[in-house]
Amino acid sequence: MHFLYFDAGLGAMLVQALVAIVAGVVLFSKNVMFKIKTIFGLHKNTSDQDVFDDINIDDSQIENPSKDDK
Amino acid sequence: MTNNLRHDSSYRDPSGHVFVENNTIKRVIFPSYFPQYNKLKNSGFFEKAFQHKLLISHEELQNTETEIYIQPEQIPFITYPYEWSFQQYKEAALLTLKLQKYALQNGFSLKDATAYNVAFYKGNAIFIDTLSLDFYQENTPWRAYKQFITHFLGPLLLSKYHGAEFLKTMSNFIDGIPLKMIASLLPKSTKLNPFLYTNIHLLAKYENKHQEEDVKATKQASLSQKGLFNIIDSLYNYIKKLQLKEQSEWGNYYQKTNYSDKAFTQKSKIINNWIQQLNAKTVIDVGGNDGTFVREINSKIDLALVGDIDNNAVDQNYYAVKKNKETNMLPFVIDLLNPSASIGFQNTERFSFVKRVKEFKPDATLALALIHHLSLTGNVPFENSAAFFASFSGHLIIEFPKRNDSYATRLLNAKAEFKDQFGHYNLENFEKTYTNHFQLVDKKEIPDSERVLYLLKNKNA
């Protein structure tokens, strides 16, 4: 069920197919570059300056995940 | 609970709305959103999202056939996107993407992605619009994609190229910066970057091309979930690395140019004693730079709002909050000579800074190394600044740099031939005018400096 309470934009909906393809290529090539740099030890460690973590959420971090929300 | 007062900012989403009852924010949900709500609740998604600190937690108050009432955890002070520093803005954008990815992995999707869905609470950005979560439908693109670009990626990019002051323009574009404007303001070279070309320029072109067509055609647009993850991951990676052109190195930003070490130590000692004497639990520092003086306070503070006009200083403060994992410090960008106005429909959707701070009623207000900027840079008469501080503070700790203080002298000299007209800027006039609104409790010269600290009590509080 969708509530069309604001205009998502038809162009914006259609263009996502192209955006996704390019994003896939970019992600893939970045990944390859990262591996190459790691092999040659060129990877710069910037974690000291970084306050933002990865996008992926690790569910195992939750202590006693409850199945039902009271 | 049926005759509740709907919050003026909460009318866009027909699934329910926010209202205020006995000074508490609550939310009513209507039957059209019951399927989503029940699934989010029964699948344990709400609980998981609360624990991961992605979504503001809530408790269910009442559940009937016609209405469900929930009460979210209360956030004592809301800052708006146009009051965020660049890094805060980034965190809000990244949080939105993180929640969207997590939602997708659990069969849900964000149906909107405005910057107003995010607040800063206990040291982190948190998503506050519970009803933004909807079911994910296989092979559909992200409905809120355009909103994410106009609310997050666009403003961040424009700040990168034109300075963080650009974020302030968000107060003029409550529905996000128009795509055409983002595209035209970005340097031509951004068209050569495949990520920026597709997410900005191509998007703007598509939106322009299809704007006259029937919305129902949206049904033709399809996108695999893998594709959706690609978009979200690449947005996340790009924004995470985004830096301002003018960004200085993280580090010790506070410049003690006008203080000797002795003066600095004495100044923080005096402030510390007064804060303890007042037993202040909530504090606002209106020209707080990177939060240095608030961090020097030894007594326990529940919440300190630290505003500054300089985006970079606020970023430094924010960085310290993150590194030290502080939960009682809220940095924000504010220009006291032009604080955020009330905006939106009927001017009641987003509240002015002055209104919010009056409601917050801090136990103590700090105005350190600020009055010479208000009086000499902004030409604000003592009478007006005193009335301003008196409008929201029970107690005011204010620092007065005398005319022969090096910074005050510099500002006075900048007045050139008008310098004589600023003869009123002196200690006697300051005291005389401020005591119209405040009672003088204590006054201390800062040793080894040309500055005086005052502890004032509001006569009307």
Side-chain angles (χ1 to χ4, degrees), chain B residues 375-376 379 382 400-404 408 411-413 415-430 433:
Chain B
S375 309
L376 298 176
N379 294 8
F382 287 147
F400 189 88
K402 294 184 217 166
R403 285 180 80 89
N404 42 0
L411 292 175
L412 280 164
N413 287 340
K415 298 286 180 189
E417 67 266 38
F418 298 104
K419 188 179 172 180
D420 295 344
Q421 292 173 30
F422 287 84
H424 62 271
Y425 183 86
N426 60 54
L427 209 62
E428 294 70 37
N429 268 324
F430 170 78
T433 318

Side-chain angles (χ1 to χ4, degrees), chain B residues 5-32:
Chain B
L5 265 182
R6 178 200 286 251
H7 192 280
D8 283 331
S9 70
S10 185
Y11 62 84
R12 286 161 201 251
D13 188 346
S15 315
H17 63 246
V18 168
F19 64 97
V20 184
E21 191 178 64
N22 304 328
N23 292 322
T24 308
I25 298 270
K26 293 176 185 176
R27 199 184 273 280
V28 58
I29 301 164
F30 299 129
S32 63

